[in-house]
Amino acid sequence: MHETFMRRAISLAERGRGHTAPNPLVGAVLVRDGKIIGEGFHAFYGGLHAERAALEDCFQRGLSPAGASLYVTLEPCCHTGKQPPCTEAILAADIRAVFVGSSDPNPLVAGKGIAALRQGGIAVTEHVSESACDALNAPFFHHIRTGLPFVLLKYAMTLDGKTACASGASRWITGEAAREEVHRTRAAVGAVMVGINTVLQDDPLLTCRIPGGRNPLRVVCDSGLRTPLDSALVKTAAEVPTLLACCVSDTARHEAYLAAGCEVLTFPGRRVDLRALLTSLGARGINEVLVEGGAELGWALLSAGLVQRVQAYIAPKLFGGKNAPSALGGTGVPYPIDAFALKNMHIRSFGADVRIEGDL
Ligand code: AOF
Ligand code: ZN
């Protein structure tokens, strides 16, 4: 029964996906006599918290939350941020029992929310469907603990492990359903990132082209500032936020990009320090970055320990060709024992394609 109500709270939380960063996805359900009397979720950054949204819904239905149980996917907050403390609203509403999924690692909350509820005489049960609740907010947890965004490395390849033909042509490897899923992922993340070679080879647009989707910030890792002024990215930079990360301090060379609407971020040295770039993205509240190519950027991030999840879309095709590229470049590991091992593997089909996902 507890799992059923928490599952409902999780699906409510999902509705905020793409709109809450850097804050978490949170859902809440009020239950009395086995019936749901109020539901809510955190809909957008800075907006009403899930708990207060559920109480609001209960009042709207003309019902009283007194004596009810609250199921909430994340520990209720007890601090004043953009919103007042949820613990106060819960206590004021005379809720009898609170069932909590994830603990909140936010140092302003971290256990203090639970303690405040217990102090107020509420029976609190923690860790209800915890792993499912935790899975909602992997980027939030990673970002609040490290200051860095959660990095999702995605690529599409053939069943023989090729990401392009020997000619370099790569459009398209996967089918429509898989590509649509990538657009859904773009709508959920704060930024998408590519390396300069991907821009030069594919001239990608990197926007979200599904109804109701929003565009993430587009980031090019472009140490030498070689992104063409007539690339799709630069030509659309006035409408879609675009950031060029480079090591070119000659600001005269920045001007044409700035005039086109790009932002240019300069790093010291010869190659962009990826940890420094991610740190600056994290500092602006971006808690998840989707890396969409290419092989060198992917390897550089992976070997620096900066990747948290990998998504491989695999098409039922074979390209062959000893010079046809694969998903990761760089030096690679010397021996099988040195491999980067993935865990929590998930497999899903999209049309004729398969997606294999795993965490590092
Ligand atoms: C949310 N939505 O439903 C819950 C959150 O600045 P504030 O007031 O919005 O507080 C943000 C923090 O509140 C967030 O980092 C998390 O620790 C806690 N809970 N946040 O945005 C919610 N329940
Ligand atoms: Zn709150």
Side-chain angles (χ1 to χ4, degrees):
M1 187 187 70
H2 296 324
E3 280 71 27
T4 309
F5 291 125
M6 196 58 94
R7 213 174 312 129
R8 176 68 191 153
I10 290 170
S11 66
L12 289 162
E14 277 288 351
R15 297 194 197 166
R17 193 174 284 285
H19 303 283
T20 67
N23 283 348
L25 295 174
V26 189
V29 171
L30 279 165
V31 175
R32 203 178 38 222
D33 303 327
K35 282 216 270 305
I36 292 179
I37 58 166
E39 296 188 323
F41 63 99
H42 184 53
F44 58 91
Y45 174 73
L48 212 58
H49 287 187
E51 301 90 321
R52 284 178 187 269
L55 285 167
E56 193 72 14
D57 180 44
C58 177
F59 296 131
Q60 292 267 312
R61 299 184 196 199
L63 300 171
S64 161
S69 296
L70 172 72
Y71 290 82
V72 57
T73 57
L74 181 71
E75 173 180 0
C77 69
C78 52
H79 70 296
T80 300
K82 296 209 173 320
Q83 292 289 331
C86 290
T87 48
E88 282 176 10
I90 294 166
L91 287 164
D94 210 7
I95 304 287
R96 182 165 306 158
V98 175
F99 296 87
V100 175
S102 303
S103 312
D104 189 345
N106 183 346
L108 295 168
V109 183
K112 296 193 279 271
I114 306 272
L117 294 175
R118 288 201 171 123
Q119 201 123 51
I122 296 179
V124 181
T125 308
E126 295 177 76
H127 316 299
V128 179
S129 307
E130 188 172 28
S131 54
C133 290
D134 283 353
L136 271 176
N137 281 313
F140 167 73
F141 293 142
H142 180 77
H143 181 244
I144 208 154
R145 287 189 180 118
T146 65
L148 297 166
F150 183 95
V151 174
L152 172 57
L153 177 67
K154 167 244 140 188
Y155 49 82
M157 65 180 198
T158 60
L159 197 47
D160 59 333
K162 308 296 189 186
T163 53
C165 296
S167 67
S170 64
R171 265 191 188 146
W172 298 97
I173 293 173
T174 50
E176 202 167 317
R179 296 208 303 271
E180 198 181 302
E181 177 63 13
V182 172
H183 283 265
R184 272 193 288 278
T185 307
R186 285 180 185 166
V189 300
V192 290
M193 192 190 290
V194 291
I196 180 62
N197 289 326
T198 298
V199 173
L200 297 175
Q201 271 158 34
D202 300 348
D203 192 23
L205 193 52
L206 303 175
T207 52
C208 170
R209 299 188 287 280
I210 47 168
R214 43 158 280 286
N215 288 318
L217 171 70
R218 303 177 299 181
V219 181
V220 185
C221 199
D222 181 9
S223 301
L225 202 53
R226 291 185 295 145
T227 297
L229 286 167
D230 63 352
S231 61
L233 288 172
V234 177
K235 281 196 295 195
T236 54
E239 299 91 60
V240 187
T242 308
L243 172 75
L244 307 178
C246 69
C247 295
V248 175
S249 48
D250 169 5
T251 50
R253 278 188 60 195
H254 296 184
E255 264 156 36
Y257 296 106
L258 297 174
C262 297
E263 185 184 348
V264 180
L265 211 55
T266 309
F267 292 86
R270 284 182 50 245
R271 301 190 69 186
V272 171
D273 179 334
L274 295 170
R275 182 176 288 274
L277 172 56
L278 289 174
T279 302
S280 82
L281 296 178
R284 17 170 124 186
I286 290 171
N287 68 11
E288 187 169 16
V289 174
L290 173 67
V291 177
E292 297 216 39
E296 294 306 320
L297 179 62
W299 175 259
L301 287 163
L302 182 73
S303 57
L306 295 168
V307 177
Q308 278 65 53
R309 183 168 294 166
V310 176
Q311 282 185 338
Y313 287 88
I314 304 171
K317 297 175 184 172
L318 303 169
F319 280 173
K322 69 174 191 287
N323 295 323
S326 65
L328 294 173
T331 53
V333 299
Y335 299 103
I337 195 162
D338 303 312
F340 289 87
L342 300 173
K343 49 187 191 286
N344 310 327
M345 303 301 290
H346 290 285
I347 304 180
R348 257 179 85 178
S349 293
F350 296 92
D353 306 314
V354 170
R355 183 181 75 189
I356 304 187
E357 180 180 65
D359 294 340
L360 284 148

